[in-house]
């Protein structure tokens, strides 16, 4: 049940093998296998509680996996392997790994005490120790790119949900990530604001960014995704091209889900 | 109580209601009773010869009392500064995933919150009884040369305050949404960067008001230092009272200055709280004052003006 697109992409960006994750006695991920190629856009679909968000959060080690292997760009996430022994990474090493992985949250999670520009500048200045002047220029360019060049001085509370989420995308891009994770980026938005965020994401996909998107936007998945993965009950039920998984689902569980959301 | 009248044009609106307010006769009777009792008390105190009001007047602006007040302020400010800084450290330690840090912090809080601050003041003052010298190896100094009366007072108050501030700061830190920490971590910020740049600045909104309370409390708590012969205001007032057999007048002098200082602080605190509440809840700005509450029922609907008087 591996979503293998190795035929179309040269290198592998994310490789998950039998990933397990439990919260207490509840096993949320029961062995996820997934391969995401460089430049590929993968959409994770599935009912709530299927483990798709948890899996996404494992990819940048916001959640620690209990079993299996998970690597990004050939590097194990959260662990170091020496022989056949695994060593837990130090907090600083985890932080260093996360620099290359951007994440966008359902609830935006912008820093409310900073302006849009300061939000975008924060990580380049604090983490990459970039000079403030150059970080400012680059951050303004990023805000321009998401269509918010004129909102640089606004605080998050002064922005609409859609604008906040676009700032959040610019903030993640400021670290020049090789991989972007989106955790239901439009689920907290008013319906009329969903489009502006999806447009930014489409542009990003067109530029060749590797993206993993947890979403309920079937239309977006059909249009933008190279691979659609349907998850349920902590396992990958079905994966493949959008035309197959969404257009002609094979598994009854996928069929049932899509018949309700389409 | 303060009905806010909208400024919107009333063109298409129904006429505003002008009703006779409910009569609150009970309120007026009880107010009269209270005023009568207070007047009686004031009269009995003001005309009491044992109080020696002339002595109160003589010492109210006496140099030694004023110097004592300055010492009180110094002790308050220094204790609070040390207490806040150490309190932040203790709070972060307590919330740390590192068990050594959190256990140390918990033990500190247990010890310093579990013993009376008066006892702590006396312990620091008498430290020389068990440790005549301080230091290690060849370096050592006389304990009493380091821990003077002021030093003992400062240590006791600051270390005790740190324990209470730690809880205030911890509450502030916990009030910040977890998503903030996750977003910072996802950007690659380390734990300490996240705390310093993201969490603590947001926790300030919750931390500032109770810290103002702590400051007012600290100002009054400094009076405990009188028991070890401190030269802060209460100690000075007591010493003069004992010398001249004017105990009560000197207590009144001390109370006057404590009230003056806490009134200034309380006023500053309410200003500060209003500032921090701005944009979060409209409630505070419209809370009617006491006079407004009492008279409110007698007044027709009107726009709320702070401290509104008739």
């Amino acid at each position: 049940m591996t979503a293998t697109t190795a035929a179309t992409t040269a290198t592998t960006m994310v490789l998950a093998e039998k990933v397990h994750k439990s919260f207490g006695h509840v096993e949320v991920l029961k062995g996820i296998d997934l391969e995401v190629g460089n430049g590929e856009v993968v959409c994770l679909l599935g009912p709530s509680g299927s483990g798709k968000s948890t899996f996404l959060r494992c990819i940048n080690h916001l959640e620690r996996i209990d079993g299996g292997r998970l690597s990004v760009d050939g590097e194990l996430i959260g662990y170091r392997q020496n022989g056949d022994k695994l060593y837990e990474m130090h907090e600083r090493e985890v932080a260093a790994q996360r620099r290359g992985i951007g994440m966008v949250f359902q609830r935006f999670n912008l820093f409310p005490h900073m302006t849009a520009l300061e939000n975008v500048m924060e990580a380049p200045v604090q983490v990459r120790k970039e000079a403030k002047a150059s970080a400012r220029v680059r951050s303004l360019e990023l805000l321009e790119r998401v269509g918010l060049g004129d909102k640089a001085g606004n605080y998050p509370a002064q922005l609409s949900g859609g604008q906040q989420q676009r700032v959040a995308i610019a903030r993640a891009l400021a670290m020049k990530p090789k991989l972007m994770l989106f955790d239901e980026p439009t689920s907290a938005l008013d319906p009329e604001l969903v489009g502006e965020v999806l447009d930014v994401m489409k542009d990003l996909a067109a530029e060749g960014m590797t993206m993993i998107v947890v979403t309920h936007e079937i239309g977006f998945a059909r249009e933008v995704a190279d691979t659609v993965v349907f998850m349920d009950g902590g396992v990958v039920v079905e994966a493949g091209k959008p035309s197959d998984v969404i257009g002609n689902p094979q598994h009854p569980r996928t069929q049932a889900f899509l018949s309700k959301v389409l | 109580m303060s009905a806010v009248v909208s400024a919107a044009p009333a063109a298409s609106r129904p006429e505003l209601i002008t009703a006779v307010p409910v009569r609150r006769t009970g309120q007026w009777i009880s107010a009269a009773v209270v005023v009568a009792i207070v007047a009686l008390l004031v009269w009995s105190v003001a005309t009491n010869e044992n109080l020696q009001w002339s002595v109160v007047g003589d010492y109210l602006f006496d140099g030694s009392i004023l110097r004592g007040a300055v010492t009180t302020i110094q002790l308050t400010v220094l204790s609070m500064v040390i207490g806040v800084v150490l309190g932040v450290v203790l709070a972060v330690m307590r919330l740390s995933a590192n068990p050594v840090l959190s256990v140390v912090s918990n033990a500190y809080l247990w010890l310093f919150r579990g013993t009376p601050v008066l006892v702590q003041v006396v312990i620091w003052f008498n430290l020389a009884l068990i440790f005549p010298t301080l230091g290690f190896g060849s370096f050592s100094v006389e304990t009493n040369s380091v821990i003077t009366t002021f030093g003992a007072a400062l240590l006791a108050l600051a270390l005790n305050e740190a324990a209470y501030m730690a809880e205030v700061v911890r509450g502030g830190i916990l009030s910040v949404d977890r998503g903030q920490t996750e977003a910072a971590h996802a950007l690659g910020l380390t734990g300490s960067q996240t705390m310093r740049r993201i969490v603590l600045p947001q926790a300030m909104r919750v931390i500032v008001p109770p810290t103002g309370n702590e400051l007012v409390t600290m100002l009054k708590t400094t009076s405990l230092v009188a028991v070890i012969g401190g030269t802060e205001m209460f100690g000075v007032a007591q010493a003069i009272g004992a010398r001249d057999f004017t105990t009560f007048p000197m207590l009144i002098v001390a109370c006057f200055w404590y009230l003056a200082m806490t009134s200034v602080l309380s006023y500053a605190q309410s200003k500060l709280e209003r500032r921090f509440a701005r944009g979060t809840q409209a409630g505070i700005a419209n809370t009617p004052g006491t006079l407004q509450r009492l008279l409110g029922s007698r007044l027709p609907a009107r726009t709320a003006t702070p401290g509104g008087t008739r």
Side-chain angles (χ1 to χ4, degrees):
Chain A
M1 209 55 77
T2 310
T4 309
T5 47
T8 53
T9 51
T11 53
T12 301
M13 179 57 77
V14 178
L15 183 62
E17 295 167 299
K18 299 188 177 54
V19 169
H20 281 261
K21 171 73 191 170
S22 299
F23 292 114
H25 297 298
V26 186
E27 196 176 20
V28 185
L29 301 178
K30 300 171 183 166
I32 303 289
D33 290 307
L34 184 70
E35 188 178 341
V36 179
N38 206 349
E40 194 182 357
V41 177
V42 173
C43 283
L44 298 181
L45 306 182
S48 33
S50 60
K52 51 197 194 311
S53 281
T54 303
F55 176 61
L56 196 74
R57 292 160 58 83
C58 287
I59 297 175
N60 68 351
H61 207 55
L62 281 182
E63 305 290 353
R64 197 192 104 118
I65 66 171
D66 306 323
R69 291 284 188 279
L70 182 56
S71 62
V72 173
D73 210 8
E75 239 184 273
L76 273 188
I77 290 295
Y79 299 94
R80 219 174 324 105
Q81 189 158 15
N82 208 342
D84 37 335
K85 251 191 175 169
L86 278 188
Y87 296 86
E88 223 171 313
M89 271 189 180
H90 192 267
E91 183 212 332
R92 285 186 185 280
E93 299 172 274
V94 175
Q97 281 190 330
R98 286 177 178 144
R99 287 170 204 178
I101 307 171
M103 186 161 194
V104 174
F105 297 86
Q106 180 177 358
R107 307 253 3 134
F108 328 135
N109 295 352
L110 289 183
F111 306 132
H113 57 303
M114 298 180 186
T115 63
L117 179 65
E118 287 165 348
N119 264 279
V120 181
M121 283 172 63
E122 180 67 11
V125 172
Q126 295 298 325
V127 179
R128 291 162 59 111
K129 309 295 178 198
E130 204 173 317
K132 272 197 177 167
S134 77
R136 175 181 292 269
V137 171
R138 230 162 44 75
S139 299
L140 279 170
E141 281 169 11
L142 282 167
L143 284 174
E144 203 73 55
R145 186 165 148 200
V146 298
L148 293 170
D150 56 332
K151 302 285 186 192
N154 287 40
Y155 284 91
Q158 299 166 319
L159 300 173
S160 73
Q163 291 170 335
Q164 288 188 52
Q165 194 61 299
R166 284 187 281 154
V167 173
I169 293 173
R171 179 175 71 173
L173 291 176
M175 287 299 283
K176 300 179 181 164
K178 53 196 172 195
L179 168 68
M180 284 284 285
L181 308 174
F182 293 85
D183 188 5
E184 302 198 29
T186 58
S187 297
L189 296 176
D190 289 346
E192 55 182 336
L193 303 178
V194 167
E196 62 189 63
V197 172
L198 293 182
D199 285 345
V200 170
M201 290 169 62
K202 280 177 201 167
D203 289 348
L204 207 54
E207 287 162 27
M209 175 64 77
T210 312
M211 294 163 57
I212 304 180
V213 186
V214 171
T215 186
H216 293 297
E217 298 289 333
I218 306 294
F220 175 83
R222 194 187 340 237
E223 189 187 337
V224 181
D226 299 306
T227 305
V228 169
V229 176
F230 179 75
M231 283 178 66
D232 190 24
V235 295
V236 173
V237 174
E238 199 166 345
K241 288 200 190 73
S243 53
D244 295 336
V245 178
I246 298 173
N248 183 24
Q250 298 303 306
H251 199 282
R253 191 66 198 86
T254 319
Q255 291 166 354
F257 176 77
L258 287 171
S259 71
K260 277 178 206 147
V261 297
L262 277 179
Chain B
M1 186 67 64
S2 55
V4 179
V5 179
S6 166
S12 59
R13 288 190 166 201
E15 216 176 298
L16 286 173
I17 291 172
T18 48
V20 179
V22 176
R23 295 219 168 269
R24 301 192 189 277
T25 325
Q27 252 177 33
W28 286 99
I29 293 172
S30 56
V33 170
V34 169
V35 166
I37 291 173
V38 169
L40 212 65
L41 273 172
V42 168
W43 185 75
S44 71
V45 169
T47 58
N48 190 328
E49 303 213 330
N50 294 333
L51 277 171
Q52 301 170 271
W53 283 103
S54 62
V55 178
V56 173
D58 288 344
Y59 276 99
L60 201 52
F61 296 98
D62 181 74
S64 52
I65 288 288
L66 293 184
R67 277 192 296 278
V70 169
T71 306
T72 293
I73 292 169
Q74 283 173 340
L75 200 53
T76 304
V77 170
L78 283 173
S79 302
M80 276 309 284
V81 169
I82 298 172
V84 167
V85 172
L86 192 54
V88 171
V89 173
L90 285 167
V92 172
M93 282 170 67
R94 187 151 184 216
L95 293 170
S96 165
N98 181 335
V100 177
L101 294 181
S102 67
V103 165
V104 167
S105 175
N106 269 323
Y108 184 98
L109 263 64
W110 170 77
L111 185 64
F112 282 87
R113 292 201 309 167
T115 51
V117 64
L118 176 58
V119 175
Q120 290 175 32
V121 168
V122 177
I123 286 177
W124 284 109
F125 183 65
N126 289 307
L127 197 67
L129 293 180
I130 51 167
F131 296 118
T133 58
L134 292 176
F136 45 88
S138 57
F139 171 81
S140 82
V141 288
E142 288 277 316
T143 300
N144 280 337
S145 68
V146 183
I147 302 184
T148 57
T149 304
F150 187 85
L154 183 60
L155 267 172
L157 295 176
L159 296 185
N160 184 260
E161 184 57 30
Y164 287 91
M165 278 309 300
E167 287 297 88
V168 169
V169 173
R170 191 171 72 102
I173 290 173
L174 290 177
S175 77
V176 177
D177 181 31
R178 231 193 106 57
Q180 294 290 312
T181 307
E182 288 189 348
H185 282 169
L187 286 169
L189 270 74
T190 61
S192 60
Q193 282 175 324
T194 303
M195 185 55 72
R196 202 161 32 83
R197 301 276 315 167
I198 309 300
V199 176
L200 280 179
Q202 294 183 59
M204 284 311 288
R205 202 171 56 80
V206 176
I207 293 173
V208 164
T211 303
N213 263 337
E214 290 291 316
L215 183 62
V216 172
T217 306
M218 176 60 80
L219 183 84
K220 295 178 294 179
T221 308
T222 55
S223 64
L224 294 182
V225 176
V227 300
I228 57 170
T231 53
E232 44 67 61
M233 190 176 58
F234 185 57
V236 172
Q238 266 204 325
I240 295 173
R243 184 192 67 199
D244 300 349
F245 301 107
T246 52
T247 304
F248 219 94
M250 294 317 293
L251 289 176
I252 291 177
V253 169
C255 283
F256 172 85
W257 283 112
Y258 281 120
L259 274 173
M261 290 190 278
T262 53
S263 298
V264 170
L265 287 180
S266 299
Y267 179 75
Q269 190 195 353
S270 73
K271 283 278 165 203
L272 206 61
E273 271 178 40
R274 247 171 232 232
R275 220 186 119 78
F276 275 94
R278 204 182 283 165
T280 52
Q281 268 186 355
I284 292 186
N286 282 330
T287 306
T290 313
L291 188 64
Q292 216 175 335
R293 268 202 302 257
L294 188 62
L295 300 177
S297 58
R298 309 299 310 156
L299 299 172
R302 57 178 188 159
T303 51
T305 46
T309 46
R310 231 169 174 174

